[in-house]
């Protein structure tokens, strides 16, 4: 893929953030998500790719737009896999809470794991602790390995995890090991990315979250030089059958980063909807709005922070206003 596409992908996430951000704190997560989906889909039509949505808003009969299998882009080469989350953290937007993002990940065709909508167990770290984690090891063993790699004590580490009843035991083990815990209500894509960005104060991600979100986070971590391991946790025979259908004969396979995102030719773009640890949320001011985005490319390791000002509604020029005044005067 050409590097020029990076800015095209940012336009997609900017549009989604601008549309969804208007509904911040309004208490309607469905409306916030729909606004982002509509805006994102419209901009996709202008991007010069032959894209297929492999992670999106659901199956064809569940979502009218950005459904799994939908073709997006102008239909020109390159042929790519597309993973989208128009609003990563719909509850965060509805409640006006931090760290809501609009995100996309793009990779060459057949390079993104076609993860079904089910749960996935995850562990993730940044580049400083790459090669030190093991999803099959204990929480304490992983924390000690990461602390050693970062030349710190375990008590200096901060683990981030979704605040869910299913994580009660993991949280207890983190605290027993002496590490600090940062609980989040939603949004484990941004949480995984935070482990690989300096200044966020987060060192390791634990826990079970959505599988589609896991693949999107893996794309970002590949760009950032971090590491992630995962395992699908299907519930019942129907979900096991879906795992087999996606090409994984072993539903319990330990998935490495390269299993989630093959190769390095991957792009990741995100725009903040609400203020967060990495990105500022959308700021509206009359006819303009400001966005803060992050776009990364795995092949080069380039990370760009983009601050943009958008014209939402152009004011008529002085000449046209004067002409209108003259016309109104003549009519009188």
């Amino acid at each position: 893929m050409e590097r020029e596409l990076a800015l095209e992908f940012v336009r997609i996430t900017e549009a989604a953030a601008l549309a969804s951000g208007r509904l911040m704190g309004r208490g309607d997560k469905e409306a916030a998500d729909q606004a982002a989906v509509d805006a994102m889909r419209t901009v996709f039509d202008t991007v010069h790719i032959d894209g297929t949505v492999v992670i999106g808003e659901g199956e064809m009969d569940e979502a009218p737009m950005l459904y799994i299998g939908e073709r997006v882009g102008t239909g020109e080469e390159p042929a790519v896999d597309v993973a989208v989350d128009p609003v990563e953290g719909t509850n965060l937007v509805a409640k006006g809470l931090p760290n809501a993002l609009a995100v996309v990940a793009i990779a060459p065709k057949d390079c993104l794991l076609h993860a079904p909508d089910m749960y996935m167990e995850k562990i993730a770290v940044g580049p400083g602790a790459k090669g030190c984690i093991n999803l099959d090891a204990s929480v304490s063993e992983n924390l000690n390995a990461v602390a050693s790699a970062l030349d710190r004590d375990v008590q200096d580490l901060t683990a981030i995890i979704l605040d869910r009843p299913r994580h009660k035991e993991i949280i207890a083990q983190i605290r027993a090991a002496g590490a600090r815990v940062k609980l989040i209500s939603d949004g484990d894509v941004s949480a995984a990315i935070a482990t690989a960005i300096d200044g966020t104060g987060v060192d390791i991600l634990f826990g079970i979250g959505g599988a589609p979100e896991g693949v999107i986070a893996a794309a970002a971590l590949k760009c950032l030089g971090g590491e992630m391991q995962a395992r699908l946790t299907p519930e019942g025979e129907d979900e096991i059958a879906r795992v087999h259908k996606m090409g994984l004969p072993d539903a319990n396979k330990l998935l490495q980063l390269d299993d989630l995102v093959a190769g390095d030719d991957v792009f990741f773009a995100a725009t903040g909807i609400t203020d967060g640890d990495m990105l500022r949320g959308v700021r509206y001011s009359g006819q303009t709005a400001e966005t803060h985005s992050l776009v990364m490319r795995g092949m080069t390791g380039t990370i760009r922070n983009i601050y943009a000002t958008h014209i939402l509604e152009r004011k008529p020029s002085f000449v046209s206003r004067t002409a209108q005044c003259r016309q109104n005067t003549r009519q009188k």
Side-chain angles (χ1 to χ4, degrees):
M1 291 187 288
E2 299 296 329
R3 70 184 67 187
E4 290 79 5
L5 287 171
L7 294 180
E8 295 298 294
F9 299 147
V10 171
R11 289 198 305 112
I12 295 169
T13 58
E14 285 175 341
L18 286 166
S20 183
R22 285 291 193 193
L23 295 163
M24 187 193 80
R26 301 281 293 276
D28 191 341
K29 67 178 185 179
E30 286 81 12
D33 186 57
Q34 190 59 57
V37 169
D38 292 345
M40 184 174 275
R41 184 65 182 81
T42 298
V43 178
F44 257 120
D45 285 341
T46 70
V47 179
H48 297 285
I49 57 171
D50 179 10
T52 302
V53 176
V54 299
I55 291 174
E57 291 293 284
E59 304 293 339
M60 188 185 307
D61 57 352
E62 299 172 354
M65 288 187 203
L66 297 177
Y67 55 83
I68 296 170
E70 183 177 6
R71 301 289 291 275
V72 294
T74 61
E76 304 169 51
E77 293 291 336
V80 297
D81 283 348
V82 174
V84 303
D85 199 345
V87 179
E88 210 273 313
T90 54
N91 283 321
L92 301 178
V93 176
K95 297 177 181 179
L97 296 174
N99 289 314
L101 306 173
V103 299
V104 299
I106 314 283
K109 190 171 176 60
D110 298 326
C111 285
L112 295 180
L113 183 72
H114 297 197
D117 189 9
M118 63 178 62
Y119 281 129
M120 173 184 275
E121 185 181 4
K122 312 166 191 176
I123 185 171
V125 291
K130 186 176 182 178
C132 297
I133 55 173
N134 183 351
L135 191 60
D136 290 328
S138 69
V139 168
S140 177
E141 288 170 333
N142 277 301
L143 288 170
N144 278 284
V146 170
S148 178
L150 299 178
D151 194 23
R152 299 186 204 165
D153 295 328
V154 171
Q155 66 183 9
D156 299 328
L157 300 182
T158 297
I160 193 165
I161 187 168
L162 284 167
D163 188 7
R164 299 287 189 273
R166 62 179 178 268
H167 292 149
K168 181 179 179 181
E169 182 59 32
I170 297 176
I171 293 168
Q173 291 177 29
I174 295 170
R175 289 171 173 163
R180 301 185 299 170
V181 179
K182 182 174 182 178
L183 297 175
I184 54 173
S185 63
D186 296 276
D188 66 346
V189 171
S190 61
I193 299 169
T195 66
I197 294 183
D198 292 337
T200 62
V202 173
D203 303 295
I204 185 168
L205 167 94
F206 288 105
I208 297 172
E213 290 83 356
V215 176
I216 294 173
L221 287 167
K222 176 149 281 194
C223 294
L224 291 163
E227 184 181 8
M228 182 176 183
Q229 292 183 3
R231 178 179 286 113
L232 292 166
T233 58
E235 300 176 355
E237 292 300 321
D238 288 346
E239 290 197 352
I240 291 175
R242 293 176 68 189
V243 173
H244 294 161
K245 185 178 179 180
M246 61 184 275
L248 288 177
D250 182 5
N252 295 313
K253 179 183 178 180
L254 176 63
L255 300 170
Q256 305 290 341
L257 189 60
D258 284 340
D259 295 316
L260 299 166
V261 181
D264 294 323
D265 194 10
V266 56
F267 285 90
F268 175 89
T271 300
I273 302 174
T274 61
D275 286 344
D277 297 328
M278 300 176 297
L279 297 171
R280 277 183 40 170
V282 183
R283 301 282 198 277
Y284 299 96
S285 180
Q287 277 73 39
T288 65
E290 296 178 354
T291 57
H292 180 196
S293 302
L294 188 69
V295 60
M296 305 179 284
R297 189 184 187 196
M299 182 172 287
T300 60
T302 303
I303 302 169
R304 290 184 173 91
N305 277 277
I306 299 175
Y307 296 86
T309 300
H310 307 266
I311 306 299
L312 301 179
E313 181 181 343
R314 290 190 178 276
K315 294 180 180 179
S317 68
F318 175 78
V319 173
S320 64
R321 289 201 303 272
T322 302
Q324 183 64 47
C325 288
R326 288 173 179 168
Q327 182 180 350
N328 292 340
T329 300
R330 286 195 300 269
Q331 289 174 350
K332 291 180 181 179

Short mmCIF file of all heavy atoms in Angstrom, two decimals, residues 193-213:
data_model
loop_
_atom_site.label_atom_id
_atom_site.label_comp_id
_atom_site.label_asym_id
_atom_site.label_seq_id
_atom_site.Cartn_x
_atom_site.Cartn_y
_atom_site.Cartn_z
N ILE A 193 -3.54 0.05 23.20
CA ILE A 193 -2.62 0.99 22.55
C ILE A 193 -1.83 1.76 23.60
O ILE A 193 -0.64 2.05 23.43
CB ILE A 193 -3.39 1.95 21.64
CG1 ILE A 193 -4.10 1.19 20.53
CG2 ILE A 193 -2.45 2.98 21.02
CD1 ILE A 193 -5.09 2.04 19.74
N ALA A 194 -2.48 2.10 24.71
CA ALA A 194 -1.83 2.89 25.75
C ALA A 194 -0.59 2.21 26.31
O ALA A 194 0.35 2.88 26.75
CB ALA A 194 -2.83 3.18 26.88
N THR A 195 -0.55 0.87 26.28
CA THR A 195 0.62 0.17 26.80
C THR A 195 1.87 0.46 25.97
O THR A 195 2.99 0.27 26.46
CB THR A 195 0.39 -1.36 26.81
OG1 THR A 195 0.27 -1.85 25.46
CG2 THR A 195 -0.85 -1.73 27.59
N ALA A 196 1.69 0.91 24.74
CA ALA A 196 2.83 1.11 23.83
C ALA A 196 3.16 2.57 23.57
O ALA A 196 4.01 2.87 22.73
CB ALA A 196 2.55 0.41 22.50
N ILE A 197 2.50 3.48 24.28
CA ILE A 197 2.74 4.91 24.08
C ILE A 197 3.25 5.53 25.37
O ILE A 197 2.64 5.39 26.44
CB ILE A 197 1.45 5.62 23.61
CG1 ILE A 197 1.07 5.12 22.22
CG2 ILE A 197 1.63 7.13 23.59
CD1 ILE A 197 -0.14 5.80 21.63
N ASP A 198 4.38 6.20 25.27
CA ASP A 198 4.98 6.85 26.44
C ASP A 198 4.05 7.92 26.99
O ASP A 198 3.39 8.64 26.25
CB ASP A 198 6.32 7.49 26.06
CG ASP A 198 7.39 6.47 25.71
OD1 ASP A 198 7.27 5.31 26.16
OD2 ASP A 198 8.34 6.84 24.99
N GLY A 199 4.04 8.01 28.31
CA GLY A 199 3.28 9.07 28.95
C GLY A 199 1.88 8.70 29.37
O GLY A 199 1.22 9.49 30.06
N THR A 200 1.40 7.53 28.96
CA THR A 200 0.05 7.14 29.36
C THR A 200 0.02 6.55 30.77
O THR A 200 -1.05 6.46 31.38
CB THR A 200 -0.54 6.09 28.38
OG1 THR A 200 0.28 4.91 28.41
CG2 THR A 200 -0.58 6.65 26.97
N GLY A 201 1.17 6.09 31.26
CA GLY A 201 1.23 5.50 32.59
C GLY A 201 0.71 4.08 32.66
O GLY A 201 0.46 3.56 33.75
N VAL A 202 0.55 3.43 31.50
CA VAL A 202 0.03 2.07 31.45
C VAL A 202 1.10 1.14 30.90
O VAL A 202 1.77 1.46 29.91
CB VAL A 202 -1.23 2.00 30.55
CG1 VAL A 202 -1.69 0.57 30.35
CG2 VAL A 202 -2.36 2.82 31.15
N ASP A 203 1.28 -0.02 31.53
CA ASP A 203 2.37 -0.92 31.16
C ASP A 203 1.92 -2.25 30.56
O ASP A 203 2.63 -2.84 29.75
CB ASP A 203 3.24 -1.22 32.39
CG ASP A 203 3.80 0.05 33.01
OD1 ASP A 203 4.60 0.72 32.34
OD2 ASP A 203 3.42 0.36 34.16
N ILE A 204 0.75 -2.74 30.96
CA ILE A 204 0.31 -4.06 30.49
C ILE A 204 -1.21 -4.13 30.53
O ILE A 204 -1.86 -3.56 31.42
CB ILE A 204 0.94 -5.18 31.35
CG1 ILE A 204 0.58 -6.57 30.80
CG2 ILE A 204 0.54 -5.04 32.82
CD1 ILE A 204 1.40 -7.71 31.44
N LEU A 205 -1.77 -4.80 29.54
CA LEU A 205 -3.22 -5.04 29.48
C LEU A 205 -3.49 -6.50 29.78
O LEU A 205 -2.82 -7.39 29.24
CB LEU A 205 -3.75 -4.70 28.08
CG LEU A 205 -5.17 -5.20 27.79
CD1 LEU A 205 -6.17 -4.09 28.09
CD2 LEU A 205 -5.35 -5.64 26.35
N PHE A 206 -4.46 -6.74 30.63
CA PHE A 206 -4.97 -8.08 30.88
C PHE A 206 -6.47 -8.11 30.60
O PHE A 206 -7.13 -7.07 30.59
CB PHE A 206 -4.78 -8.48 32.36
CG PHE A 206 -3.38 -8.77 32.79
CD1 PHE A 206 -2.67 -7.84 33.56
CD2 PHE A 206 -2.75 -9.96 32.46
CE1 PHE A 206 -1.39 -8.10 33.99
CE2 PHE A 206 -1.47 -10.24 32.89
CZ PHE A 206 -0.77 -9.30 33.66
N GLY A 207 -7.01 -9.32 30.44
CA GLY A 207 -8.45 -9.48 30.47
C GLY A 207 -9.09 -10.00 29.22
O GLY A 207 -8.44 -10.29 28.22
N ILE A 208 -10.41 -10.14 29.30
CA ILE A 208 -11.23 -10.66 28.22
C ILE A 208 -12.11 -9.54 27.67
O ILE A 208 -12.80 -8.86 28.42
CB ILE A 208 -12.12 -11.82 28.72
CG1 ILE A 208 -11.24 -12.98 29.19
CG2 ILE A 208 -13.07 -12.28 27.63
CD1 ILE A 208 -12.00 -14.11 29.88
N GLY A 209 -12.04 -9.35 26.36
CA GLY A 209 -12.86 -8.35 25.68
C GLY A 209 -13.31 -8.89 24.34
O GLY A 209 -13.16 -10.08 24.05
N GLY A 210 -13.82 -8.01 23.49
CA GLY A 210 -14.30 -8.44 22.19
C GLY A 210 -13.18 -8.87 21.26
O GLY A 210 -12.11 -8.25 21.23
N ALA A 211 -13.43 -9.93 20.49
CA ALA A 211 -12.44 -10.40 19.53
C ALA A 211 -12.19 -9.39 18.40
O ALA A 211 -11.04 -9.16 18.02
CB ALA A 211 -12.85 -11.75 18.96
N PRO A 212 -13.24 -8.78 17.82
CA PRO A 212 -12.98 -7.79 16.77
C PRO A 212 -12.10 -6.65 17.26
O PRO A 212 -11.18 -6.21 16.56
CB PRO A 212 -14.38 -7.30 16.41
CG PRO A 212 -15.29 -8.44 16.77
CD PRO A 212 -14.69 -9.01 18.01
N GLU A 213 -12.36 -6.17 18.49
CA GLU A 213 -11.54 -5.11 19.06
C GLU A 213 -10.10 -5.58 19.26
O GLU A 213 -9.16 -4.78 19.14
CB GLU A 213 -12.12 -4.65 20.39
CG GLU A 213 -13.43 -3.89 20.26
CD GLU A 213 -14.66 -4.77 20.16
OE1 GLU A 213 -14.50 -6.02 20.11
OE2 GLU A 213 -15.79 -4.24 20.12
#
